[in-house]
Amino acid sequence: MDTMQVALLQAIPDLATSINSSLDDLNGWNCCIHCRKEIKRMNLELLGKPFRPLPTCKCVVEIEREKQQAQEREERKRRLKTAYSKSIMNDDLVNARLSNFTIRPGTEVAFDKACKYLKTWAESKLGMLMFGQPGNGKSHLLRGIEYELDAAGYATLFLDWPQLTVLAKDSLNKGSKVSLTDIIKSACEVDFLVLDEIGAGALTEFEFKDILFPIVNGRQGKKTGWTTNLDLNRLGNWFLQDRNGKFLDQDGRLLDRILGGCEIVENKGTSKRREDALRRLQG
């Protein structure tokens, strides 16, 4: 211990004594300036003299914790902008909200579960996997959840799987401003990620090993949303082998991780796009 530290320790008891003398009438009770709850000083001894420090109120600890979380989210958002200029989604999903979702026969349960999931998102430990026919609103519902969480200050990302694979492949080109590592790391770091349209097209070894696997592995313990047109059996076959018949996830371990970390929801609605097209055809 150096001379300055010794001098500081010697000064602390004197300071504590002077503080205590002014608080004798209050028996060492103070009031938090934030929540107005009473806080009692601690009765300690330092270098043989009474030392009565004032503990930090729990509300102050919570305020500092929230500040730190907000700073971490902003840092994740900054890194996110480096890898993605914006979320990758189809244009018709940009304005998709839970509030403007059209409830049709077969979509009631999926809509209700999406709304409940959003309300309990902070407490939930699970993501959500929604499957069903093409065009029935799965992507709309997951985008609605992602939008609300983003508006609440969380770092979120909505990625269309086919477009993500193109972006990842382009990152390998010489002169690319973003690396594959940046893309994967940002997808792993966000508070809530939506991977839309998994199961579209035939999976390649590069897509499985260099994109999908590191994202799923890196997001363990974090909440992820998934949409797919495939039922669970067909989705398992999609993971099983690539377009050339080479086995990728023969034991189903990756799919098992996804399903184990998600609430599974079936959207039983029919295709709204097809119904709208038929109405236009009929005038």
Side-chain angles (χ1 to χ4, degrees):
M1 185 178 297
D2 58 31
T3 305
M4 183 174 294
Q5 290 174 315
V6 173
L8 180 60
L9 287 175
Q10 290 174 341
I12 289 175
D14 296 332
L15 177 61
T17 302
S18 64
I19 292 174
N20 291 338
S21 64
S22 65
L23 293 172
D24 286 341
D25 294 337
L26 301 177
N27 293 319
W29 286 92
N30 274 33
C31 182
C32 176
I33 63 174
H34 296 285
C35 67
R36 312 309 297 173
K37 290 184 179 179
E38 290 183 324
I39 309 172
K40 187 169 184 177
R41 289 184 174 273
M42 302 170 67
N43 289 311
L44 304 175
E45 187 175 297
L46 183 62
L47 298 179
K49 294 185 178 182
F51 178 49
R52 302 180 67 190
L54 186 65
T56 302
C57 181
K58 291 181 180 179
C59 81
V60 175
V61 175
E62 182 63 20
I63 290 172
E64 290 302 316
R65 185 185 68 83
E66 291 177 354
K67 285 183 180 179
Q68 183 176 359
Q69 286 182 340
Q71 291 174 351
E72 290 174 352
R73 285 174 189 149
E74 288 303 315
E75 178 60 22
R76 286 199 294 272
K77 286 185 177 182
R78 185 192 65 78
R79 291 196 293 268
L80 192 62
K81 290 180 180 179
T82 301
Y84 302 93
S85 59
K86 61 180 180 179
S87 291
I88 304 175
M89 68 181 74
N90 293 324
D91 292 341
D92 57 353
L93 290 174
V94 173
N95 297 316
R97 309 284 186 268
L98 292 178
S99 59
N100 60 20
F101 181 79
T102 301
I103 301 175
R104 299 174 298 106
T107 66
E108 302 92 343
V109 172
F111 175 74
D112 184 57
K113 288 191 174 183
C115 292
K116 288 181 178 178
Y117 179 76
L118 176 62
K119 290 180 180 178
T120 60
W121 184 86
E123 295 78 32
S124 175
K125 294 183 179 180
L126 296 175
M128 176 175 282
L129 185 147
M130 189 175 293
F131 69 97
Q133 292 185 29
N136 66 5
K138 301 180 300 298
S139 302
H140 188 130
L141 291 173
L142 268 294
R143 162 59 176 162
I145 294 171
E146 183 264 338
Y147 171 82
E148 294 297 338
L149 292 174
D150 180 73
Y154 292 99
T156 68
L157 190 59
F158 189 103
L159 298 177
D160 175 83
W161 169 251
Q163 293 185 51
L164 173 61
T165 60
V166 173
L167 179 65
K169 292 171 185 175
D170 288 345
S171 71
L172 302 178
N173 295 333
K174 186 177 181 180
S176 174
K177 295 181 180 179
V178 61
S179 69
L180 181 59
T181 300
D182 293 331
I183 292 172
I184 301 301
K185 184 176 180 182
S186 296
C188 291
E189 286 184 339
V190 293
D191 299 309
F192 185 64
L193 169 71
V194 176
L195 275 178
D196 188 37
E197 299 289 357
I198 61 165
L203 196 61
T204 68
E205 184 176 11
F206 168 76
E207 292 166 355
F208 178 82
K209 291 186 177 180
D210 294 276
I211 306 175
L212 196 56
F213 182 84
I215 288 178
V216 173
N217 192 53
R219 288 195 61 78
Q220 289 189 78
K222 295 182 180 180
K223 286 161 275 195
T224 305
W226 308 81
T227 74
T228 180
N229 297 328
L230 308 179
D231 60 32
L232 300 186
N233 287 331
R234 292 172 63 201
L235 187 60
N237 290 331
W238 185 72
F239 281 100
L240 179 62
Q241 56 190 16
D242 67 11
R243 63 186 61 183
N244 298 315
K246 181 179 180 180
F247 285 114
L248 299 173
D249 191 21
Q250 190 169 2
D251 298 323
R253 288 179 293 179
L254 193 64
L255 180 61
D256 188 67
R257 284 186 184 179
I258 294 173
L259 298 181
C262 285
E263 178 181 354
I264 312 300
V265 179
E266 181 179 6
N267 186 337
K268 296 183 179 181
T270 54
S271 172
K272 184 177 184 298
R273 289 194 292 262
R274 188 174 303 176
E275 292 168 4
D276 290 344
L278 288 175
R279 277 194 291 270
R280 290 195 298 272
L281 177 64
Q282 295 166 0

